[in-house]
Amino acid sequence: MKYLIILFVVALALAPLTHFLPSKRQRQLARLREYAAVHGLFVEFRNLPGAREGERAEQVIYYGKRLPASRGEPRRQRAWIGGAGHWRGAGHRDPVPTATEGFPAQILACSEDEGSCGAYWKEDGEEADVAAIVAALEAWSGVEKAA
């Protein structure tokens, strides 16, 4: 009986510590972000492009690939909204980058600015989706280097 009471008291004392253990979703996000970082991307919160004036911009996750500094004229800041093959320019009529063909269907938007090119999404995928994002951004930045 004494051992049962001791075991109960120890379990009661350790129970609050379980709140500090990461959930299944938190572990999955950590794996996705680690995979992206190991393959040369950076991850940050950004406003989803294309919000109309007066609307509150939605914050989503941006997986970006750093671009080398442009020589001469700086790159224009451009964004495309869509996904799953239905892309449109956000406030411009520039052609959609061919790299968007490699994005998984979960991608909400993509953009290019002076420092990076990247994809916006809600991280509702697997490592294979991050691998597709890495490949697409590598292709995009490769085209940028050649230009």
Side-chain angles (χ1 to χ4, degrees):
M1 185 68 176
K2 288 181 189 178
Y3 294 115
L4 190 57
I5 292 173
I6 291 171
L7 184 63
F8 177 73
V9 169
V10 169
L12 192 63
L14 294 177
L17 296 178
T18 60
H19 295 288
F20 295 107
L21 296 175
S23 69
K24 185 177 179 181
R25 174 72 175 149
Q26 289 170 329
R27 287 191 302 271
Q28 179 191 16
L29 291 177
R31 276 194 309 274
L32 295 177
R33 293 174 184 177
E34 179 182 19
Y35 185 91
V38 166
H39 290 86
L41 302 184
F42 65 93
V43 179
E44 64 187 25
F45 278 101
R46 285 196 180 180
N47 291 333
L48 186 63
R52 291 178 176 75
E53 210 170 304
E55 281 185 0
R56 185 169 179 260
E58 180 183 3
Q59 287 268 304
V60 293
I61 302 294
Y62 177 79
Y63 279 41
K65 173 85 175 154
R66 302 244 185 248
L67 297 174
S70 60
R71 295 186 177 174
E73 207 172 304
R75 289 182 195 90
R76 291 184 14 220
Q77 186 169 349
R78 302 177 294 176
W80 295 268
I81 301 169
H86 305 289
W87 294 94
R88 63 179 170 81
H92 60 81
R93 295 190 183 270
D94 293 342
V96 178
T98 57
T100 58
E101 296 168 3
F103 285 144
Q106 299 95 326
I107 299 300
L108 303 170
C110 64
S111 70
E112 173 186 50
D113 56 35
E114 179 59 34
S116 68
C117 60
Y120 298 80
W121 71 321
K122 294 185 179 181
E123 292 181 307
D124 51 353
E126 301 295 327
E127 283 186 26
D129 297 318
V130 178
I133 293 171
V134 168
L137 294 180
E138 285 290 334
W140 193 345
S141 65
V143 169
E144 187 65 35
K145 289 176 189 173

